[in-house]
Amino acid sequence: MRAHTEKPALGLYIHIPFCKAKCAYCDFYSLAHSEEKIDAYTAALLRHLEEVAPRAAGMQVDTVYFGGGTPSYLGASRLARLLQAVQRRYNVVRDAEITLEANPDSAGDWKALRTLRRAGFNRLSLGVQSTDDALLRRIGRIHTYEQVQQAVTAARRAKLTNLSLDLIYGLPGQTMEDWQRTLADAVALAPEHVSCYGLKLEEGTPLWQQRQQLTLPDDDAQADMYLYAVAALEEMGYAQYEISNFARPGRESRHNLKYWRMQEYAGFGPGAHSDFGGVRYGYVRDLDGYIAGKLILAESETGETLARDYEYVMLSLRTAAGIDRRTFENRYRQRFDPMERLFVQYGQAGLAARTEGGWCLTPKGFLVSNSIIVALQEALGRQKAARQAAAAAGDLRIV
């Protein structure tokens, strides 16, 4: 790897769409029982990485994220080969964060994890979801809590020192006691990072189709689970830095922060998205087409068509740091005042709090963040409309 420079930063996301089994809640682009295509897909990724490299020549790659699917299902040798291609063709800084997502059932071999750590992987994200085996079976997960423990032991033996655990609350039949036990079990494994996601029934998934037969925690129960997690994790040394993410000091996911801070990233693989070179784009979910070299865009927007100011409001308010008044006004040449008036109301309701430079949402505010963000964006829209009307009338007093 090359030494750190002051070139613009870039994150790389590499999508691995293979899974041993498809989870009942999963809406990501992933395929089970397609093992015969793994080698051809690896070759396609290597070609794609090679093709994009010249466009990234003036940038430094400071995060690489292998997501899926189940990236660990690809096997250590293929993953190492892909990362070596990245290191060879891109300006990867010495302290880059390089993450591998893994299911516990495919991450129990400490020697394989050591191979990956030696290749450059330095962060492991395990899809735990629950430590209750009955709940895991109910949502189509094929691992057990014992395999979670074995995977964590293997990771530590392989000298991987940055471990993240993904958890889900609001599962079918899950009680508050179940959720409290899962959180306690997860923290007992001493990860550096914890993600807590509320279950969402995505249309077309098996859980969606079974929704009439499921006993799901209602909105109030799910909200209670969320607020419990925020308080409990804070007490156990995990600071909340985004709606669903908690970390020990300095162990926040640097790659995911790129998304929330609107920094550049390039995606590889079917279904992968990018915000790179002033263009936001995503590839169609077509494994066979991608293997054949057909890089077909599912969507594409340039800087001229993107509503970056709206996006800044939405993404900033996902983070614990919140939105900064001066940054917003300087970057988008708009007044913050229309949003300030709303923030004062949200602050009085306990949904927002003042920061040194602006506002952030409280945990209760995070629970209703979608409606808050819509209201703020509508206030911005009214301001824009007023400015346009004033400009059309030749009245330049409104700025």
Side-chain angles (χ1 to χ4, degrees), residues 303-324:
E304 290 75 33
T305 59
L306 284 168
R308 292 287 193 182
D309 51 348
Y310 287 3
E311 188 179 26
Y312 175 76
V313 172
M314 176 184 68
L315 294 175
S316 295
L317 290 177
R318 285 188 62 97
T319 69
I323 190 167
D324 183 80

Side-chain angles (χ1 to χ4, degrees), residues 320-331:
I323 190 167
D324 183 80
R325 180 185 186 115
R326 183 174 295 178
T327 299
F328 177 82
E329 292 187 335
N330 290 345
R331 187 179 296 178

Side-chain angles (χ1 to χ4, degrees), residues 29-106:
Y29 183 59
S30 59
L31 305 164
H33 315 302
S34 298
E35 294 84 354
E36 74 282 358
K37 299 177 181 179
I38 284 179
D39 284 326
Y41 181 69
T42 302
L45 276 177
L46 290 168
R47 288 196 305 271
H48 194 188
L49 286 163
E50 187 76 24
E51 289 168 11
V52 173
R55 292 173 50 203
M59 308 184 78
Q60 59 181 18
V61 170
D62 58 355
T63 68
V64 185
Y65 195 102
F66 285 71
T70 309
S72 53
Y73 198 42
L74 211 62
S77 61
R78 295 186 190 92
L79 289 166
R81 188 150 35 107
L82 287 166
L83 183 54
Q84 286 161 4
V86 169
Q87 293 163 337
R88 186 172 61 251
R89 294 293 287 121
Y90 293 79
N91 180 22
V92 180
V93 300
R94 197 166 277 126
D95 63 346
E97 175 192 86
I98 302 177
T99 302
L100 175 72
E101 286 186 345
N103 278 353
D105 60 284
S106 59

Side-chain angles (χ1 to χ4, degrees), residues 4-11 58-63 93 258 263-265 275-276:
H4 191 88
T5 68
E6 294 306 314
K7 294 179 180 178
L10 177 68
M59 308 184 78
Q60 59 181 18
V61 170
D62 58 355
T63 68
V93 300
K258 284 187 178 293
Q263 297 168 351
E264 288 194 275
Y265 57 93
D275 190 350
F276 181 38

Side-chain angles (χ1 to χ4, degrees), residues 190-355:
E192 283 69 35
H193 186 281
V194 178
S195 297
C196 299
Y197 301 107
L199 178 69
K200 292 182 180 177
L201 295 187
E202 302 288 356
E203 192 169 350
T205 62
L207 279 190
W208 168 269
Q209 293 161 358
Q210 301 163 20
R211 65 192 181 282
Q212 302 299 338
Q213 292 78 46
L214 296 175
T215 303
L216 292 165
D218 61 22
D219 290 345
D220 287 343
Q222 202 174 100
D224 288 343
M225 290 179 179
Y226 175 74
L227 293 174
Y228 173 81
V230 173
L233 288 169
E234 178 77 32
E235 189 176 324
M236 292 183 275
Y238 296 87
Q240 183 176 29
Y241 70 98
E242 192 266 349
I243 288 179
S244 304
N245 288 278
F246 308 80
R248 298 280 191 199
R251 294 306 187 117
E252 299 84 0
S253 169
R254 285 159 52 191
H255 184 82
N256 286 339
L257 280 169
K258 284 187 178 293
Y259 303 145
W260 304 318
R261 291 174 175 169
M262 299 173 65
Q263 297 168 351
E264 288 194 275
Y265 57 93
F268 300 84
H273 289 77
S274 304
D275 190 350
F276 181 38
V279 183
R280 163 93 32 86
Y281 58 93
Y283 297 109
V284 297
R285 296 178 162 201
D286 179 4
L287 176 63
D288 292 334
Y290 186 84
I291 287 173
K294 299 174 183 175
L295 300 178
I296 302 171
L297 296 181
E299 56 187 282
S300 178
E301 294 179 282
T302 64
E304 290 75 33
T305 59
L306 284 168
R308 292 287 193 182
D309 51 348
Y310 287 3
E311 188 179 26
Y312 175 76
V313 172
M314 176 184 68
L315 294 175
S316 295
L317 290 177
R318 285 188 62 97
T319 69
I323 190 167
D324 183 80
R325 180 185 186 115
R326 183 174 295 178
T327 299
F328 177 82
E329 292 187 335
N330 290 345
R331 187 179 296 178
Y332 302 108
R333 302 300 177 192
Q334 297 183 58
R335 293 192 325 216
F336 193 82
D337 293 349
M339 292 193 293
E340 177 78 24
R341 289 189 285 272
L342 285 173
F343 274 124
V344 170
Q345 296 175 27
Y346 297 138
Q348 292 168 348
L351 302 176
R354 285 191 184 274
T355 64

